[in-house]
Amino acid sequence: MADNALKIEYKLYLEAEDVSQSRILSSASYLENVLHNHANPYIKCAQIDNESDLDEFELRLYVDEAIEEADCANADAAEAFLDEFADVLSEIAHIHSFMDMEGSFSVSFEGEHIAYDFKSEPGDGMCDFMERKEN
C-alpha cells in the first residue's frame, strides 16, 4: 500500500429490546443525523442498515463501511477520523445508554495501521475502546 493510500473500515451495531416504537424511530433518526451531517466525509458517507422491528419492539441498526482510496482525497479528514469517530461513538453511548453498542474501526494511512474494538453495554453511558493488535 502506498504511503498516501487510505483504507478506513468501521462496523457499528446498535441493539435494544423492549423499546417503544417512538424510541426506535427517534434513535434511528438520531443515528442518521449524527452520521450524515458530520463534517468528516469518511463518517458522513455511512450507510445505515435499519433492521428494527416496530411490532416486536426491537431496535437493530448496523453500519458496515469500507473506504479505500489509492490516493487519499482528504488527508486532514483521514488524520482526524479516529478521534472524530471515537467522539461520535462516545456521544451515541451517552445519549442512548439503553442500547447495546459494539463494533470496530480501523485506519491505514501514511504507513500506519491503527484499529480499535469498542463496546457500550445498556445502562452504562460510556464507550470502552480496546486497541486491536493485528498481524
Side-chain angles (χ1 to χ4, degrees):
M1 185 178 274
D3 275 352
N4 201 35
L6 172 68
K7 183 174 183 182
I8 294 177
E9 294 179 313
Y10 54 96
K11 295 178 185 203
L12 170 62
Y13 308 102
L14 300 165
E15 299 181 332
E17 294 181 356
D18 297 324
V19 180
S20 71
Q21 293 174 342
S22 62
R23 186 170 253 189
I24 292 169
L25 295 172
S26 67
S27 297
S29 177
Y30 169 81
L31 183 63
E32 183 174 324
N33 285 331
V34 161
L35 296 177
H36 293 169
N37 292 321
H38 200 280
N40 191 310
Y42 300 116
I43 296 172
K44 186 178 204 139
C45 69
Q47 296 299 310
I48 302 165
D49 184 11
N50 186 343
E51 295 184 6
S52 300
D53 188 333
L54 293 174
D55 295 330
E56 296 294 324
F57 305 103
E58 294 176 343
L59 172 66
R60 304 255 188 282
L61 302 170
Y62 305 100
V63 175
D64 188 353
E65 286 297 318
I67 301 159
E68 288 192 56
E69 296 176 349
D71 188 26
C72 181
N74 189 332
D76 290 338
E79 290 172 0
F81 175 81
L82 287 174
D83 289 337
E84 291 178 353
F85 196 64
D87 288 346
V88 166
L89 295 172
S90 294
E91 181 180 314
I92 293 168
H94 179 71
I95 292 173
H96 290 88
S97 61
F98 66 93
M99 289 192 277
D100 183 26
M101 178 175 75
E102 64 182 60
S104 61
F105 57 103
S106 65
V107 175
S108 295
F109 183 57
E110 295 182 338
E112 289 189 51
H113 179 78
I114 303 170
Y116 286 91
D117 293 322
F118 61 88
K119 184 163 186 63
S120 177
E121 297 190 10
D124 188 359
M126 300 292 290
C127 190
D128 295 321
F129 299 93
M130 294 81 49
E131 189 169 0
R132 185 173 67 228
K133 303 292 184 200
E134 297 183 351
N135 300 338

